[in-house]
Amino acid sequence: MQKRALSVNDDGFYGVWYPNPKVKSARAIILMLGDSADSRMVCSGATWIHRQGFHALAVSPEKKALGRHNEPLERVGKAIAFLHSQGCEKIGVLGASATGMMALVAASYYPDISLTIAMTPPDFVIEGYYRDKADGALERPGNQESSVSWKGCPLPYLPYAYRHPTYWQKIKEEAKAGDNILAARNMFDESERLHPLTEEEKIKIERINGKVVCIGAEDDALWDTCKYIRRMQQRLKSLPHTCDFEALMYEHGTHFVFPESMLKLMLPIGSGLLVRFMFKAAREYPKECRETRLDIDRRLMNILSRW
């Protein structure tokens, strides 16, 4: 696969450009997956995007920066400018989990984005977090930092219910109680109970241009993404907007609502086994979770073909 590394110093953002050598497409997808722009997950995502007939540009905070805290949103603007310089006229963005939030926030600031795909997103800006293994914790909250900044100022965010080291202890306790590897749904519910969402913290979904697709499952153990997606739907009913919002919500699917063909690229052997290892719901409903991923595959391919 052809690729070109891009840096903050030289290009204004960190990323990897994966041009599609088989097509002369004027369409590109900005990939926001994981914490590195050249990881196996991202390379697999780029391959999947190529198979749909588009170019792919992966972006991330920094090389191997495990976490997100005050990430400058302007870097997405630099990425868009780069794509225009490569002859790309239509630009989409795809993210999952925390980067699903990032995809929605970026699209609400940059009207050049005409397709936004957000898998398991929240409808608010999350607090910043680190994955530096401080005191043995896999993850910890930032020091009153947002996950995203704009013009040097942190965007308003929902504060986590707990601080370090209680934050990671609570995640481990919830995961063990639910027989999952990771779980934080109760923590996010508690965060909203302690700090009811304000308008400033909510993603301005009504500002987004073009097609918006939000995907989630009711059995998500990380957070209640279907509740968040329904709140976005309700928000759009009360506010003027021009975007075409589509919600793909399923009873079963866990936090890993990737298209089946993309997940198989990420893990050619045992992709379903990994999901079952991570989440109890996938062990109890493996057939239903796979049917969810297959349906997402079909529907996303149809959306992409019409974009």
Side-chain angles (χ1 to χ4, degrees):
M1 178 185 290
Q2 297 179 22
K3 62 180 182 180
R4 171 183 162 190
L6 304 159
S7 69
V8 174
N9 289 338
D10 295 334
D11 306 286
F13 68 101
Y14 173 69
V16 179
W17 169 231
Y18 298 94
N20 190 335
K22 296 183 179 180
V23 297
K24 293 183 178 180
S25 178
R27 296 174 294 178
I29 302 289
I30 298 174
L31 281 175
M32 299 177 173
L33 292 177
D35 298 308
S36 176
D38 59 357
S39 66
R40 181 187 180 89
M41 175 185 287
V42 170
C43 290
S44 300
T47 299
W48 190 84
I49 293 298
H50 284 182
R51 291 181 179 179
Q52 315 314 314
F54 312 133
H55 301 296
L57 173 63
V59 300
S60 62
E62 296 289 348
K63 187 174 180 63
K64 306 299 182 185
L66 304 181
R68 291 182 180 270
H69 37 91
N70 287 336
E71 182 179 353
L73 197 59
E74 292 89 339
R75 292 184 182 178
V76 177
K78 296 289 186 180
I80 291 171
F82 171 82
L83 288 175
H84 284 316
S85 75
Q86 301 301 308
C88 297
E89 299 171 359
K90 297 187 76 173
I91 297 171
V93 62
L94 183 152
S97 193
T99 57
M101 172 217 70
M102 188 67 182
L104 290 172
V105 173
S108 73
Y109 276 76
Y110 291 102
D112 280 9
I113 297 173
S114 60
L115 172 65
T116 306
I117 299 172
M119 294 178 274
T120 64
D123 62 332
F124 50 85
V125 176
I126 64 174
E127 184 174 356
Y129 61 93
Y130 288 77
R131 288 180 176 164
D132 54 5
K133 298 183 179 179
D135 302 315
L138 180 63
E139 184 175 295
R140 65 178 176 88
N143 184 23
Q144 298 181 332
E145 297 169 277
S146 179
S147 53
V148 192
S149 70
W150 175 250
K151 296 183 178 179
C153 297
L155 292 186
Y157 58 87
L158 174 70
Y160 296 124
Y162 312 108
R163 311 317 301 168
H164 179 70
T166 307
Y167 170 93
W168 184 245
Q169 292 169 354
K170 289 289 186 179
I171 289 177
K172 289 198 300 181
E173 290 170 6
E174 185 177 340
K176 183 177 180 180
D179 199 15
N180 297 295
I181 297 299
L182 284 175
R185 185 164 172 150
N186 293 341
M187 184 190 73
F188 276 94
D189 288 345
E190 180 67 2
S191 297
E192 280 202 57
R193 188 189 72 81
L194 294 174
H195 179 94
L197 275 176
T198 67
E199 174 62 21
E200 290 75 17
E201 296 151 4
K202 297 175 184 176
I203 298 172
K204 308 305 184 284
I205 194 81
E206 69 279 2
R207 296 181 188 169
I208 299 179
N209 180 42
K211 182 74 175 181
V212 183
V213 186
C214 288
I215 308 169
E218 298 285 359
D219 60 7
D220 191 329
L222 269 293
W223 51 42
D224 195 349
T225 192
C226 287
K227 177 179 74 175
Y228 305 152
I229 293 172
R230 282 190 283 268
R231 289 197 307 213
M232 285 188 266
Q233 290 177 309
Q234 287 300 119
R235 182 178 180 87
L236 289 177
K237 286 181 180 179
S238 63
L239 293 170
H241 63 279
T242 59
C243 66
D244 176 14
F245 187 92
E246 185 170 353
L248 307 183
M249 291 187 285
Y250 302 86
E251 183 177 358
H252 302 293
T254 77
H255 197 65
F256 286 178
V257 288
F258 292 104
E260 178 70 3
S261 60
M262 183 187 289
L263 189 63
K264 283 189 173 182
L265 286 170
M266 294 174 180
L267 296 162
I269 300 174
S271 57
L273 291 175
L274 173 67
V275 182
R276 291 196 290 274
F277 171 74
M278 292 288 295
F279 301 112
K280 180 181 179 181
R283 294 192 293 276
E284 293 181 338
Y285 301 97
K287 179 183 176 182
E288 290 83 354
C289 288
R290 184 173 183 274
E291 288 174 349
T292 288
R293 296 193 300 270
L294 287 169
D295 188 66
I296 293 168
D297 221 332
R298 289 189 293 266
R299 295 174 75 169
L300 279 188
M301 285 184 182
N302 183 47
I303 289 168
L304 287 166
S305 68
R306 291 185 282 111
W307 175 55

